[in-house]
Amino acid sequence: MSLVRLTIRPWETVDVDDGQLLDLQRQGLVYTEDSVLYVNFYTYEGGAPADVSALTVTVSKSGIPLVGPTPDGISHIATGAYGWLWGEEHRTGSGAYLIGWDATDAQDAAVHAEETITLEAS
């Protein structure tokens, strides 16, 4: 069991097993020292999952790149699904972080996905 702090209520902690922790991380509901960022690629919107090549991740805050673009540490979880361990060394405290993923699809076209993750001060 692990004691983790909820992202939606950072003043509250919950005790979870490894499976529950992974599920909460995928939903973006917990903050831990190391969190896994996920990205999924599809053949088209609403289509089947599709693998990509030359995948990189970039993390920026206030327009300043903190990580990448880098392929280092990206894991292939399942068809079209990838994860990257986002550790404390990749962050500069609370605030909004832009996570960008760039890759090449099976048709040799560039693909991009991004999301903003906000960490609140405790």
Side-chain angles (χ1 to χ4, degrees):
M1 296 298 241
S2 302
L3 197 61
V4 296
R5 188 167 24 131
L6 295 172
T7 299
I8 56 174
R9 294 185 300 273
W11 58 87
E12 185 176 330
T13 56
V14 293
D15 200 15
V16 296
D17 64 30
D18 290 342
Q20 292 168 320
L21 176 59
L22 187 57
D23 187 48
L24 289 170
Q25 286 175 327
R26 285 183 183 146
Q27 296 176 59
L29 298 176
V30 297
Y31 168 78
T32 60
E33 287 184 9
D34 291 318
S35 295
V36 178
L37 301 177
Y38 296 95
V39 65
N40 295 291
F41 292 96
Y42 301 93
T43 52
Y44 56 88
E45 188 174 340
D51 282 336
V52 295
S53 61
L55 180 60
T56 63
V57 63
T58 304
V59 178
S60 303
K61 182 177 178 190
S62 301
I64 300 168
L66 302 174
V67 175
T70 183
D72 296 341
I74 297 174
S75 59
H76 183 255
I77 299 165
T79 302
Y82 301 86
W84 181 71
L85 188 62
W86 188 36
E88 286 286 324
E89 68 274 15
H90 307 126
R91 299 191 277 262
T92 59
S94 61
Y97 293 82
L98 180 65
I99 314 302
W101 302 87
D102 290 288
T104 303
D105 68 12
Q107 289 71 42
D108 210 26
V111 291
H112 178 79
E114 67 182 31
E115 70 176 310
T116 300
I117 296 176
T118 303
L119 295 181
E120 295 181 9
S122 56

